[in-house]
Amino acid sequence: MRRVLVSLCAVVAVVTTGCADSGDGRAPQDPRPQALTWQQELRVADAQQRLTRQCMNRQGFTYREDRVLTLQESRPVRFVQDDVAWARTHGYGGRIEAKSLRVHERNPNGTYRQSLSATRRAAFDTALDGGDDAKTLRAPLPVGGEIRKRLGGCTEEAERTLYGDPALWFRTSKTVSGLNALYGEELMEDRRLTSAVRAWARCMEHAGQPYEDPRAAREAVRVRTSRLGEARADEAFAAERKTAVADATCARETSLRAVATARETYYQDRLRDRFGKDIDTHRHLAQQAYDRAVRIVPERD
């Protein structure tokens, strides 16, 4: 159970990461800025690609946007997945992951870059991210230490257009994404959360899927798919969908996502005296970026 909740802490994170499918558990009148949904985050990412492409084109280079996956195919599969209809169609997203991997392996931007002469390749790199002249951004982490990122060129231009202040966005993003390290141990031992996971496991056992937690179910699917191989891919995918549907059904019946979200929110709210300003600034910048993104790219089909 302890290993399981480490994973839960890392991937539920609805309030801090802004990946919630719906609200964050607070009353509608809460005046604080709210996290973006995953659909909104995807649109911001698509807008950043569009801005980068336009900038690179102005510099005389070709740059391809990655919009191969549909909106529903782009849906993140988290530790707690309770969308039964999605699971019935996509399982745990194994085939979507394979499709995405094939696209990234082909990487048209990398292929294009390699086709350039050494001089033009260096110019491409400078245009894209600033090359040797790129500035270094620094962000302190909640648990200590710092993380750095080089930023320049069209990448910086795109981020500035969306967020206004790339350095502030980088700093608050790293602060917010690192908060779970401060409450992870308590969350792992949280009585309500461990009780909900056990209820999920009992439900799964009754469904003929004896796994102690969603992570174990998903890992078993990965192992089975790998063992069956390409020759039995259809059989493997049918089994994946069966397990995923049971997983999502039990998550819904036991309210596992609601419990996980509520307990995550509880522990995060206790950190607001130290990090509330960063959380709100991060969400404000994200909302600002989304408001700008809707004028740049349409939502995926």
Side-chain angles (χ1 to χ4, degrees), residues 176-237:
V176 166
S177 64
L179 289 180
N180 59 17
L182 298 178
Y183 59 77
E185 287 296 322
E186 290 182 272
L187 180 61
M188 287 188 292
E189 303 296 337
D190 186 271
R191 179 178 55 81
R192 297 180 191 178
L193 184 54
T194 56
S195 176
V197 173
R198 286 194 294 270
W200 176 94
R202 289 193 297 272
C203 176
M204 287 290 281
E205 186 170 8
H206 292 154
Q209 302 280 347
Y211 301 108
E212 66 173 350
D213 58 79
R215 181 177 182 274
R218 211 162 294 177
E219 286 301 309
V221 165
R222 289 183 183 276
V223 170
R224 181 169 57 236
T225 299
S226 177
R227 186 179 67 248
L228 292 177
E230 287 296 324
R232 300 171 66 184
D234 289 343
E235 178 184 344
F237 186 55

Side-chain angles (χ1 to χ4, degrees), residues 66-126:
D66 179 6
R67 290 173 64 96
V68 173
L69 300 183
T70 67
L71 180 64
Q72 283 305 309
E73 287 176 336
S74 301
R75 178 176 186 149
V77 181
R78 304 185 188 91
F79 181 85
V80 182
Q81 155 68 326
D82 63 355
D83 188 326
V84 179
W86 195 92
R88 189 172 291 117
T89 301
H90 301 291
Y92 286 119
R95 288 190 167 178
I96 297 172
E97 184 179 337
K99 176 181 176 180
S100 181
L101 182 60
R102 288 193 300 270
V103 171
H104 291 155
E105 285 176 344
R106 290 196 294 268
N107 189 1
N109 290 319
T111 300
Y112 169 75
R113 178 184 178 276
Q114 286 303 116
S115 72
L116 301 174
S117 67
T119 300
R120 288 287 287 166
R121 195 177 306 138
F124 177 94
D125 294 342
T126 299

Side-chain angles (χ1 to χ4, degrees), residues 249-269:
T249 300
C250 287
R252 185 171 291 275
E253 290 182 359
T254 59
S255 300
L256 179 57
R257 184 166 69 90
V259 172
T261 299
R263 301 318 294 160
E264 183 95 16
T265 300
Y266 169 76
Y267 289 108
Q268 289 166 351
D269 279 350

